[in-house]
Amino acid sequence: MGVQLDALVVIFTEFYYWVTVVFMFLIHVGFCMYEVSVSRRKNIAHTLMKNAMVVPIVTVSFFFFGWWIYFAVPNGPGITGGLVESPHATALSVVMGTHMGGESELGAGWARINGVFWAAFLLFSWTVASIVSGAVIERIRSGAFWIIAVMVGSFTWVIDAAWGWHPEGWMVQLLGYHDAYASGVIHAIGGGTALAVLIHLGPRQGKFAPDGTPRDLHPHNPWLAVIGLFLIYTGFWGFYAACNVPIFDISGDNPTFFSATTIYLTPTTLGAITFNFLMSLAGGMLMGHFVSKGDAYWTFSGGLAGIIAASAGNDLYHPLQAMVIAGVGVWIIYKMHFWVERKFQIDDAVGAVAVHGYAGVYGVVVAGFVLWGYPSSATEGYAAINPLGQIIGAFIMFFVLGFMPAWILCWILKKLDLLRVPKNIELAGLDYVENSIVEEQFGVIIEAERNAAKS
Amino acid sequence: MSTITTWSANPTDIGPMYPFVGSEWIFLVICVAGWLVWHIWQIKAENATYEEESGKLQGESLIEAIDHVWRTHRSGK
């Protein structure tokens, strides 16, 4: 009976993550759709390809080394211990391929679950790279962006996940860091990375008037943008499910008691996170509509930012708390976006630094106050959730692992003249070459048809 | 070549099922090299395209291209 139950747990877990991965694919579809729609017609193909190619580029690098990093460095290394042996997660491991679980010291569990668990994390990797992608449209070189995507998607975010989104991460142990649905580990780091890239990249031509007043470079299709955001909501729901361990015996020495848990193996339920996902979405949309005076783009972005603002504690909040936290967060990030834009002339084309970065930081910090005193982990002896730990955690996510590595990488790319497209290409449009070829072909075909009509 | 020679074996004894078990490192070297070469090729190709087009888009031809972009944008094509 015990063996059969173990087998069912493994197969259920395998299927559960597989379903979440399919849902999360919609996040990338949505990101591509809304980035393309926000860009002007002259840049559509470049914008689409820049983000679409995140899929293969980050997938292979995450297979090569990203997955191993997550399991190898939860101790720092050097903070709470050394590198952790992670034979199941190296690119050479036999359980990184088709495997039935026999002849392996790693057991049937890893053999079956490794691929779907890897994929769930990989989809988070695409997401964090896509957050950066939207902010930098219409002037970044694709090659530069794809190097940045590998850095944030397969390296820096994976380190932050090992530190703060792992049941034994040193930030969880020492700081009491708690970030159940990734306000910090995905969104704050994505926003911090985007801000550093934007500082080096500079604004699009014509974005700011000579006196520094920002101009509205109107999306070529605002309705496609909001449908894209709708798709991101859908995928985000799958993301929430993917952040959980679906079935785990939380009873300790007591009789078996299965429950869903967070990544920290602390109990929660799909019901709880469904309440909170929807109530924080609602709080965010209502505030987004209010503060932007009914602007469609910011209403939908407000919904997304609302979820992000409440995500760190959405395993434990009451739904009404989630809604209020989301609403306040969206008011703050909306004001900050336009203040930073005016004050520092930062041209964030989709508001990604605000919607992901500021909302993520806010979410982590607020959870420190609202959840003050809760155990951060199922393991006894770890620090409890507390405001200082969360503030330090938010700083590590946004600045240490988000802003700093991206600032250094972009400084190098800029020195090599690999970061930004030439000014005249930007003015003519990044699709200028493709469009010229298409128009040339049209000309040839029209001429051929005219000749055919005359003969 | 084949790792599995019968499907009648006890499933709990079956480990890796893909062919050429033990040669993973060869494929890893090939794939990592291919991945790096792809990035280098892509950056070189992108630079070459921009360099060529940048030379063409000077003075009047750039103004003409900008005008054309905006005519297309307004007509919604």
Side-chain angles (χ1 to χ4, degrees), chain A residues 324-369:
Chain A
V324 171
I325 289 167
V328 174
V330 169
W331 186 88
I332 292 169
I333 67 105
Y334 180 85
K335 297 290 180 188
M336 276 191 70
H337 169 76
F338 288 103
W339 180 77
V340 169
E341 186 181 74
R342 277 193 307 274
K343 181 82 177 169
F344 302 103
Q345 301 197 349
I346 298 290
D347 177 14
D348 178 354
V350 297
V353 178
V355 170
H356 299 275
Y358 306 152
V361 167
Y362 163 87
V364 170
V365 172
V366 166
F369 288 94

Side-chain angles (χ1 to χ4, degrees), chain A residues 362-448:
Chain A
Y362 163 87
V364 170
V365 172
V366 166
F369 288 94
V370 181
L371 302 179
W372 197 343
Y374 278 89
S376 63
S377 163
T379 307
E380 292 294 326
Y382 287 6
I385 302 170
N386 66 91
L388 182 62
Q390 294 293 99
I391 290 168
I392 295 170
F395 178 77
I396 291 171
M397 297 299 162
F398 186 89
F399 189 77
V400 177
L401 289 171
F403 186 91
M404 283 303 295
W407 196 94
I408 294 165
L409 176 61
C410 289
W411 181 83
I412 295 167
L413 290 169
K414 199 174 173 181
K415 286 282 174 199
L416 296 171
D417 199 20
L418 293 177
L419 188 62
R420 185 163 179 151
V421 300
K423 183 180 172 184
N424 49 356
I425 297 281
E426 185 186 339
L427 289 168
L430 305 184
D431 299 344
Y432 175 76
V433 178
E434 289 87 344
N435 289 345
S436 302
I437 293 166
V438 169
E439 288 194 12
E440 214 169 89
Q441 286 168 345
F442 274 144
V444 170
I445 291 164
I446 290 166
E447 190 58 35

Side-chain angles (χ1 to χ4, degrees), chain A residues 49-65:
Chain A
M49 291 311 294
K50 175 174 63 61
N51 198 3
M53 288 303 288
V54 162
V55 172
I57 289 164
V58 174
T59 298
V60 296
S61 53
F62 194 73
F63 189 94
F64 292 156
F65 52 83

Side-chain angles (χ1 to χ4, degrees), chain A residues 210-267:
Chain A
D211 68 353
T213 309
R215 296 178 178 132
D216 183 18
L217 300 181
H218 202 63
H220 90 271
N221 189 338
W223 312 117
L224 194 65
V226 295
I227 297 300
L229 281 161
F230 248 135
L231 282 176
I232 294 174
Y233 292 169
T234 312
F236 207 168
W237 215 334
F239 175 100
Y240 257 52
C243 290
N244 276 0
V245 175
I247 181 166
F248 191 78
D249 181 8
I250 59 166
S251 60
D253 296 333
N254 302 310
T256 301
F257 189 98
F258 284 111
S259 173
T261 74
T262 65
I263 196 84
Y264 308 110
L265 304 179
T266 55

Side-chain angles (χ1 to χ4, degrees), chain A residues 40-42 46 53 56-57 60-61 63-65 91-104 140-144 146-147 150 218-220 417-418 421-425 427-430 432-433 436 439, chain B residues 7 11-18 21-28 31-33 35-36 38-39 42-43 46-58 61-62 65-66 68-70 72-77:
Chain A
R40 288 162 289 174
R41 285 188 189 281
K42 61 179 179 177
H46 182 275
M53 288 303 288
I57 289 164
V60 296
S61 53
F63 189 94
F64 292 156
F65 52 83
L92 295 172
S93 172
V94 289
V95 291
M96 288 290 276
T98 325
H99 197 293
M100 287 298 285
E103 300 177 0
S104 171
I140 198 167
R141 286 181 190 238
S142 297
W146 291 331
I147 292 171
V150 169
H218 202 63
H220 90 271
D417 199 20
L418 293 177
V421 300
K423 183 180 172 184
N424 49 356
I425 297 281
L427 289 168
L430 305 184
Y432 175 76
V433 178
S436 302
E439 288 194 12
Chain B
W7 295 115
T12 59
D13 293 335
I14 299 176
M17 292 162 66
Y18 52 87
V21 173
S23 64
E24 293 86 354
W25 65 273
I26 298 172
F27 288 93
L28 181 64
C31 291
V32 170
W35 173 66
L36 291 172
W38 186 89
H39 275 280
Q42 188 279 328
I43 287 171
E46 192 176 28
N47 287 352
T49 305
Y50 285 150
E51 203 170 312
E52 187 189 337
E53 294 306 315
S54 245
K56 291 180 192 167
L57 283 167
Q58 301 290 337
S61 62
L62 177 59
I66 292 168
H68 180 70
V69 161
W70 280 104
T72 313
H73 186 86
R74 284 189 172 140
S75 66
K77 285 176 192 167

